[in-house]
Amino acid sequence: MSEPLLKLDGLCAGYLGQDVVHDVSLSVAEGEAVAVIGSNGAGKTTMLRAVCGLMPPSRGSVYFDGTDIAGDKAHRVSRSGVVYVPAERHLFPQMSVKENLILGAYPKRPPSSQLDQVFDLFPRLKERESQHAGTMSGGEQQMLAVGRALMAAPRVLMLDEPTTGLSPLLASEAYNALAELRNAGLTILVAEQQVPLALGLADRGYVLDHGRIGLTGTADDLRNDPGVRKAYLGV
Amino acid sequence: MTAVIMDGIVLGLQFGILGVGLTLVYGLGGVLNLAHGQMAVAGAMVISRLTDGGMGTFLAVAIGIVAVGLLGMVIDLTLMKAVYGEEGEGRTLLGLLLMLGVGFIIDGVLEWRYPIEALTLRVAGDPIDILGVSMRRGSLVASAIILLVGALLVAFFRLTTFGRATRSVIQDENGARLVGVNPSVVRTSIFALSGILGGIVAVTRAMTTPVGSTDGIELTIFALIVAVVGGLGSVSGAFLAGILLGIVSTVSAFYIGSYITTIILLVVCAVTIVIRPSGLLGVRS
């Protein structure tokens, strides 16, 4: 098997010297979709923030394409090709949809063909092109957050709970869009508590419990695991 | 009355650009630059010393403006490093106190070395009639320069990649980092730009009134009032508030007395905070 594109090795991270994520190791191969599932407070967000550089990990390594990027600043990680879509989205509320997308490609000035690709995936954004991001609905903001990340031409797209604040219908629409991206060959790492959706998208998954990886396997393995079924699928 | 309002607009444009310099730095990093006016006056003193020494006005003005820009950059790269390491209220407070200190130092040095120095830039030529009001050349040139600088600023923020990046840091710093913007680089550049704008304030003001070595604190207070009324972090808000306050200032000076204008401006500021805490066009709630 070839070297994974993204590999977390013994990653620890937390706040005020108190680790929330303990010794997490996982890998994502090129073109693979991987889900990290776990309940609220399991450490999913902290783990992703430590990978993308919004907070420094306290220990461990993050290898991207063979290089250790652990502790790199967020803007460097983003420019290197690991692009993060946080659950709170962090859009630029007083800028138009188009400007948000253009900034996604920073420091480049994107050609309009690249904008069109995003508009093809999310026709809704085309309709709202000149509307301020802050005035859009939750579903539209989610599309914009993913669209803005795509403008950076990511090699790995990391998403934290892309269904946050969305109705069940919009949530499954969001996952349909992600499935389209996966089918186009994009490497995806998604953290999610809506386990059926995440396992529907992913090839493989990891269960994060109290900041530690408990279980790992293919999406089918996890779906059929009695522990997972009981804890996250309610059956 | 028209004449008073025209004077108000001339003054207001200066207020506006003064406020822009303050509001940008605050919007980006939460630092309230209480030395903004003193930095501008320091630039004026550089120009004054250089022209006294026989240097041509244009060169001296250019050097003076660049000097304030460099001062801003140096402050950002040294003193402000400690400030940006803090978060939230701690950052605001530390930034405010450090810049207050810088302001006192500049003020003290200028008062000690050049107690009676003042910069006046004379613009030759007869007054020109505008809407039936005879306007001095100095006022017109100063206003034209500010309008040009304002237009350039708008173009910079709307159309350039770096200008957009600057707005992105003001609106959502983490979002900016996630799209690949390095907030430190933006902050340092904008602190320098703020200094340059301060230098331009000193120069344009010197075309209408003498800029004395100890006028810094007064300018800082005006900048503060303008930025708060306009909405901290909003460039267009600062310009709008500047013009409004300029008119309020000259109208009240004309009808009531100049001794009371600062009080009236502070009252306008206080009323704005009560009615609209985020200012006329504020981006932060």
Side-chain angles (χ1 to χ4, degrees), chain B residues 19-269:
Chain B
V20 169
L22 192 87
T23 217
L24 277 176
V25 169
Y26 181 80
L28 276 173
V31 172
L32 207 46
N33 180 5
L34 292 183
H36 191 59
Q38 288 89 327
M39 286 167 66
V41 168
M45 291 306 109
V46 169
I47 297 167
S48 177
R49 298 305 299 164
L50 289 175
T51 47
D52 283 356
M55 187 182 276
T57 309
F58 281 102
L59 184 58
V61 162
I63 292 177
I65 290 175
V66 170
V68 191
L70 284 176
L71 178 60
M73 185 184 260
V74 168
I75 289 173
D76 185 84
L77 288 173
T78 53
L79 281 177
M80 292 301 113
K81 278 284 168 261
V83 175
Y84 298 139
E86 301 283 323
E87 301 253 339
E89 213 164 282
R91 188 195 269 195
T92 309
L93 209 56
L94 187 60
L96 187 145
L97 288 174
L98 282 176
M99 290 318 298
L100 189 65
V102 170
F104 280 137
I105 291 169
I106 297 176
D107 226 27
V109 170
L110 291 180
E111 192 163 0
W112 166 47
R113 300 294 302 178
Y114 313 109
I116 50 160
E117 187 98 19
L119 176 68
T120 311
L121 295 169
R122 282 179 223 295
V123 181
D126 294 328
I128 296 176
D129 262 20
I130 293 187
L131 299 176
V133 180
S134 159
M135 302 289 291
R136 287 186 302 159
R137 288 278 175 113
S139 303
L140 293 177
V141 172
S143 302
I145 291 174
I146 294 171
L147 286 173
L148 176 68
V149 170
L152 287 175
L153 280 176
V154 170
F156 167 70
F157 284 114
R158 296 280 147 195
L159 305 175
T160 70
T161 303
F162 196 75
R164 261 197 206 103
T166 305
R167 281 160 61 217
S168 77
V169 178
I170 293 177
Q171 293 186 18
D172 193 318
E173 185 171 333
N174 274 340
R177 296 166 73 194
L178 290 176
V179 299
V181 174
N182 182 353
S184 312
V185 170
V186 172
R187 275 198 284 264
T188 306
S189 317
I190 295 302
F191 216 125
L193 175 66
S194 165
I196 288 171
L197 293 177
I200 292 173
V201 168
V203 168
T204 52
R205 192 170 167 80
M207 292 176 179
T208 55
T209 23
V211 177
S213 58
T214 54
D215 290 354
I217 289 182
E218 193 186 347
L219 290 181
T220 296
I221 291 173
F222 284 151
L224 203 55
I225 296 174
V226 170
V228 167
V229 172
L232 281 163
S234 164
V235 172
S236 35
F239 258 108
L240 183 66
I243 293 171
L244 281 177
L245 291 170
I247 294 173
V248 168
S249 172
T250 51
V251 167
S252 55
F254 186 77
Y255 289 102
I256 305 171
S258 57
Y259 55 90
I260 210 152
T261 51
T262 310
I263 298 175
I264 291 182
L265 290 181
L266 281 166
V267 168
V268 172
C269 181

Side-chain angles (χ1 to χ4, degrees), chain A residues 53-54 74-75 78-79 84 86 90-95 99 102-104 106-107 109 148, chain B residues 158-162 164-165 167-168 171-172 174-183 283:
Chain A
L54 280 181
H75 67 273
S78 161
R79 288 192 203 183
Y84 175 51
H90 288 296
L91 298 171
F92 308 121
Q94 309 238 325
M95 286 192 219
E99 279 189 298
I102 289 175
L103 267 167
Y106 189 85
R109 198 179 251 277
R148 188 179 72 179
Chain B
R158 296 280 147 195
L159 305 175
T160 70
T161 303
F162 196 75
R164 261 197 206 103
R167 281 160 61 217
S168 77
Q171 293 186 18
D172 193 318
N174 274 340
R177 296 166 73 194
L178 290 176
V179 299
V181 174
N182 182 353
V283 291

Side-chain angles (χ1 to χ4, degrees), chain A residues 86-171:
Chain A
E88 324 84 70
R89 285 145 202 162
H90 288 296
L91 298 171
F92 308 121
Q94 309 238 325
M95 286 192 219
S96 68
V97 166
K98 191 172 176 186
E99 279 189 298
N100 269 276
L101 291 175
I102 289 175
L103 267 167
Y106 189 85
K108 292 197 207 84
R109 198 179 251 277
S112 61
S113 60
Q114 207 186 341
L115 283 167
D116 289 339
Q117 282 176 8
V118 171
F119 289 145
D120 283 345
L121 183 68
F122 301 115
R124 196 59 173 275
L125 293 182
K126 175 78 184 166
E127 292 164 27
R128 300 284 154 110
E129 201 177 347
S130 49
Q131 191 176 332
H132 277 189
T135 63
M136 298 200 305
S137 72
E140 290 160 348
Q141 292 196 7
Q142 178 56 35
M143 291 177 201
L144 182 55
V146 174
R148 188 179 72 179
L150 292 176
M151 291 299 291
R155 292 189 62 200
V156 178
L157 183 66
M158 296 199 303
L159 304 108
D160 186 21
E161 310 222 352
T163 55
T164 303
L166 301 188
S167 68
L169 180 69
L170 285 173

